Coordinates of all heavy atoms in Angstrom, one line a residue:
R123 N 21.9 25.6 14.2 CA 21.8 26.2 15.5 C 22.8 27.4 15.7 O 24.0 27.3 15.3 CB 22.2 25.2 16.6 CG 21.3 24.0 16.8 CD 19.9 24.4 17.4 NE 19.1 23.2 17.6 CZ 18.3 22.7 16.7 NH1 18.1 23.3 15.5 NH2 17.6 21.6 16.9
F125 N 22.4 28.3 19.1 CA 22.2 28.1 20.5 C 22.0 29.3 21.3 O 22.2 29.4 22.5 CB 23.4 27.3 21.1 CG 23.5 25.9 20.5 CD1 24.5 25.5 19.6 CD2 22.5 24.9 20.9 CE1 24.5 24.2 19.1 CE2 22.6 23.6 20.4 CZ 23.6 23.3 19.5
G141 N 12.8 20.8 15.9 CA 13.7 19.6 16.1 C 13.2 18.7 17.2 O 13.3 17.5 17.1
K142 N 12.6 19.3 18.2 CA 12.0 18.5 19.3 C 10.8 17.7 18.8 O 10.5 16.5 19.2 CB 11.5 19.4 20.4 CG 12.4 19.6 21.6 CD 12.3 18.5 22.6 CE 13.5 18.5 23.6 NZ 14.6 17.7 23.1
A144 N 10.1 16.8 15.6 CA 10.3 15.9 14.4 C 10.6 14.5 14.8 O 11.3 14.2 15.8 CB 11.4 16.5 13.6
D145 N 10.2 13.6 13.9 CA 10.6 12.2 14.1 C 11.9 11.9 13.3 O 12.7 11.1 13.7 CB 9.5 11.2 13.6 CG 8.3 11.4 14.4 OD1 8.2 10.7 15.5 OD2 7.3 12.1 14.1
H147 N 15.1 13.7 10.9 CA 15.8 14.9 10.7 C 16.8 14.9 9.5 O 17.7 14.1 9.5 CB 16.6 15.2 12.0 CG 15.8 15.0 13.3 ND1 15.4 16.1 14.0 CD2 15.4 13.9 13.9 CE1 14.7 15.6 15.1 NE2 14.7 14.3 15.0
S154 N 25.5 20.2 11.4 CA 24.1 20.2 11.9 C 23.6 18.9 12.5 O 22.8 18.9 13.4 CB 23.1 20.7 10.7 OG 23.5 20.1 9.5
K155 N 24.2 17.8 12.0 CA 23.9 16.5 12.7 C 24.4 16.5 14.1 O 23.8 16.1 15.0 CB 24.5 15.4 11.9 CG 24.4 14.0 12.5 CD 25.0 12.9 11.7 CE 25.0 11.6 12.6 NZ 25.5 10.5 11.8
K156 N 25.7 17.0 14.2 CA 26.3 17.1 15.6 C 25.4 17.9 16.5 O 25.3 17.5 17.7 CB 27.7 17.8 15.5 CG 28.8 16.9 15.8 CD 30.1 17.7 16.0 CE 31.2 17.0 15.3 NZ 32.3 17.9 15.0
N157 N 24.9 19.0 16.0 CA 24.1 19.9 16.9 C 22.9 19.1 17.4 O 22.4 19.2 18.6 CB 23.5 21.1 16.1 CG 24.7 22.0 15.8 OD1 25.7 22.1 16.4 ND2 24.4 22.8 14.7
L158 N 22.3 18.2 16.6 CA 21.1 17.4 17.0 C 21.6 16.3 18.0 O 20.8 16.1 18.9 CB 20.5 16.8 15.8 CG 19.7 17.7 14.8 CD1 19.4 17.1 13.5 CD2 18.5 18.3 15.5
L159 N 22.7 15.8 17.8 CA 23.2 14.8 18.7 C 23.4 15.4 20.1 O 23.1 14.7 21.1 CB 24.5 14.1 18.2 CG 24.3 13.2 17.0 CD1 25.7 12.8 16.5 CD2 23.4 12.1 17.2
V160 N 23.9 16.6 20.2 CA 24.1 17.3 21.4 C 22.8 17.4 22.2 O 22.7 17.4 23.4 CB 24.7 18.7 21.2 CG1 24.6 19.6 22.4 CG2 26.1 18.6 20.7
E161 N 21.7 17.5 21.4 CA 20.4 17.6 22.0 C 19.7 16.3 22.3 O 18.5 16.2 22.5 CB 19.5 18.5 21.1 CG 19.9 20.0 21.1 CD 19.1 20.8 20.1 OE1 18.3 20.3 19.4 OE2 19.4 22.0 20.0
N162 N 20.5 15.2 22.2 CA 20.1 13.8 22.4 C 19.1 13.3 21.4 O 18.3 12.4 21.7 CB 19.4 13.7 23.8 CG 20.5 13.9 24.9 OD1 21.6 13.6 24.7 ND2 20.1 14.6 26.0
T163 N 19.2 13.8 20.2 CA 18.4 13.2 19.1 C 19.0 11.9 18.7 O 20.2 11.7 18.7 CB 18.4 14.1 17.9 OG1 18.1 15.5 18.3 CG2 17.4 13.7 16.8
K164 N 18.1 10.9 18.5 CA 18.6 9.5 18.2 C 19.3 9.5 16.8 O 18.7 10.0 15.8 CB 17.4 8.5 18.1 CG 16.9 8.1 19.4 CD 16.0 6.9 19.2 CE 15.4 6.5 20.6 NZ 14.0 6.1 20.4
E165 N 20.5 9.0 16.8 CA 21.3 9.1 15.6 C 20.7 8.4 14.4 O 20.8 8.9 13.3 CB 22.7 8.5 15.9 CG 23.7 8.7 14.7 CD 25.1 8.5 15.0 OE1 25.4 8.0 16.1 OE2 26.0 8.9 14.2
E166 N 20.0 7.3 14.7 CA 19.4 6.6 13.5 C 18.2 7.4 12.9 O 17.8 7.0 11.8 CB 18.9 5.2 13.9 CG 17.7 5.1 14.9 CD 18.2 5.0 16.4 OE1 19.3 5.5 16.7 OE2 17.4 4.5 17.2
N167 N 17.8 8.4 13.5 CA 16.7 9.2 12.9 C 17.3 10.5 12.2 O 16.5 11.3 11.8 CB 15.7 9.6 14.0 CG 15.0 8.4 14.5 OD1 14.9 7.4 13.8 ND2 14.4 8.6 15.7
I168 N 18.6 10.6 12.1 CA 19.2 11.7 11.5 C 19.9 11.3 10.2 O 20.6 10.3 10.2 CB 20.3 12.4 12.4 CG1 19.7 12.7 13.8 CG2 20.8 13.7 11.7 CD1 20.8 13.2 14.7

Side-chain angles (χ1 to χ4, degrees):
R123 295 287 184 272
F125 292 109
K142 265 274 167 273
D145 294 280
H147 310 257
S154 40
K155 174 178 172 177
K156 242 192 222 161
N157 292 336
L158 289 167
L159 292 175
V160 167
E161 292 172 358
N162 295 326
T163 311
K164 281 193 187 143
E165 188 163 11
E166 65 265 30
N167 293 337
I168 310 172

